[in-house]
Amino acid sequence: MRGDESRFFYGWAIVAAAFGLSFASGPGQSFAFSVFQPAILRDLGLSATDFSLIYALGSGFSALAVLLVGPALDRFGSRAVTVALALLLVAGTTGMAVANGFLSLLLALALVRAIGQGCLMTTSQFLTSQWFVSRRGHALSLATMGVVTANALLPPLTYAMVGQLGWRATYLWLGTSIGALVLG
């Protein structure tokens, strides 16, 4: 074995960070938000039709945001974009916690969906792809396991927290925790 083959390849640390980013996408994913839906509708007095419209518009905004994050990654780099996305996710989850009607919920959910569902996943894959060529598929699959892990952990955790603390406090906790994970 050559001496340089025994050194740790930093790309695997990047995969761990990308795993964290894909995990952090959880608050913007359907599997997490669906836990909050009944409590939000009840508290804000919204109908299922209102919710469907809010959710569809939020998802559309997410699709548009992905078109912006790619060029931002190319221009500013993954570190600056990741910090901005983490701060925007915290703002979005805080917005969810203080939403008091249709419009404020729409704006907050659009931000949470855009950052969580689209931008963090794109950033995770961008970051991983920069560090791998021959083992790119393996690295991307490991990085993507973050969202799979979030899918397994966040619904029961948030369900229990909503029952104990309410949906607003749970959104604040979720945003703060995810922001600390990404920025830490």
Side-chain angles (χ1 to χ4, degrees), residues 10-27 29 31 78 82 89 115-116 119-129 131-132 136-154 177-178 181-183:
Y10 188 70
W12 295 114
I14 297 298
V15 168
F19 176 97
L21 289 178
S22 70
F23 182 88
S25 76
Q29 304 285 356
F31 61 77
S78 55
T82 298
L89 185 62
I115 303 306
C119 295
L120 284 173
M121 290 301 297
T122 301
T123 304
S124 170
Q125 301 216 345
F126 173 84
L127 190 58
T128 304
S129 295
W131 281 85
F132 288 87
R136 185 175 290 159
H138 184 189
L140 285 168
S141 67
L142 292 173
T144 304
M145 286 299 295
V147 74
V148 175
T149 304
N151 191 2
L153 297 178
L154 289 182
S177 299
I178 294 295
L181 170 71
V182 174
L183 295 173

Side-chain angles (χ1 to χ4, degrees), residues 1-10:
M1 177 183 343
R2 292 183 2 219
D4 57 17
E5 289 178 17
S6 66
R7 280 196 237 158
F8 176 74
F9 175 54
Y10 188 70

Side-chain angles (χ1 to χ4, degrees), residues 22-100:
S22 70
F23 182 88
S25 76
Q29 304 285 356
S30 301
F31 61 77
F33 182 74
S34 63
V35 174
F36 292 93
Q37 179 187 353
I40 291 171
L41 295 182
R42 213 175 23 256
D43 191 38
L44 299 182
L46 298 172
S47 69
T49 303
D50 291 336
F51 172 78
S52 295
L53 179 60
I54 289 169
Y55 194 78
L57 292 171
S59 296
F61 186 71
S62 175
L64 294 174
V66 170
L67 295 174
L68 300 174
V69 80
L73 286 163
D74 289 336
R75 181 170 183 191
F76 302 110
S78 55
R79 182 174 298 180
V81 170
T82 298
V83 169
L85 293 176
L87 295 173
L88 287 170
L89 185 62
V90 170
T93 55
T94 302
M96 291 294 294
V98 300
N100 61 5

